[in-house]
Amino acid sequence: MPVSEATAAKLREAMARLLAGQPQRCDGALTKENLAREAQVSHATVHRADDILAEWNAQVARPVRRTPGEVQRDETIAELKSRLRKANAKASELQDKLDALAAVTANLYHENIELKKKANRRQQNRLAVLTGGTEPAPD
């Protein structure tokens, strides 16, 4: 079912504004969705207007341009992803060092315990038990 003449006129005017870079009702990206928004019609209506859709496809054969806001957003996302990758790499490196230090600390702790046990045994071996006659105390 084709669209009415009034709807076709709205779509052509909207297409002209979008292609000229002067949108009034959308962000200006050259998409069929924005064509519908700019013309204030449904997305389905755009797809029923076969002749206008063919004109659109002929005019917008090039890749869809991103708006300055979208470009800035994408650059910010790329920058944040890069920073996150670097931070994750640094965190991984620090975690590896922490794990190594924990292992060294555990080994030193166990060595310390063994040395204390050895020192206690030596100390006990040095003590001599004195036994002998004990004289009664004078009255």
Side-chain angles (χ1 to χ4, degrees):
M1 175 175 167
V3 296
S4 69
E5 287 300 319
T7 301
K10 287 169 67 173
L11 285 167
R12 281 197 171 86
E13 290 169 9
M15 184 180 348
R17 285 193 303 271
L18 284 171
L19 293 173
Q22 300 171 334
Q24 296 175 353
R25 297 177 181 92
C26 66
D27 62 11
L30 298 177
T31 64
K32 292 173 188 168
E33 185 175 329
N34 275 348
L35 178 61
R37 280 189 191 130
E38 190 67 22
Q40 292 183 311
V41 298
S42 73
H43 194 72
T45 300
V46 171
H47 287 280
R48 282 196 313 270
D50 294 330
D51 55 337
I52 296 172
L53 197 54
E55 290 175 35
W56 176 264
N57 289 335
Q59 293 286 334
V60 187
R62 61 188 180 274
V64 176
R65 292 185 189 163
R66 295 180 298 164
T67 64
E70 291 172 327
V71 170
Q72 178 64 35
R73 177 203 64 205
D74 293 345
E75 288 173 356
T76 301
I77 289 171
E79 150 102 34
L80 291 173
K81 283 182 178 180
S82 173
R83 288 173 49 193
L84 181 59
R85 273 193 300 277
K86 289 177 185 174
N88 284 341
K90 182 69 173 174
S92 179
E93 176 187 336
L94 291 173
Q95 184 63 50
D96 291 345
K97 287 181 179 181
L98 182 63
D99 292 344
L101 287 172
V104 168
T105 302
N107 287 338
L108 289 173
Y109 173 77
H110 290 293
E111 284 179 22
N112 191 22
I113 289 174
E114 289 302 315
L115 288 172
K116 284 181 180 179
K117 285 180 184 176
K118 201 182 241 183
N120 282 341
R121 281 192 295 258
R122 279 192 211 140
Q123 185 68 24
Q124 287 174 354
N125 289 340
R126 283 189 203 168
L127 295 178
V129 177
L130 297 175
T131 58
T134 54
E135 297 179 15
D139 289 359

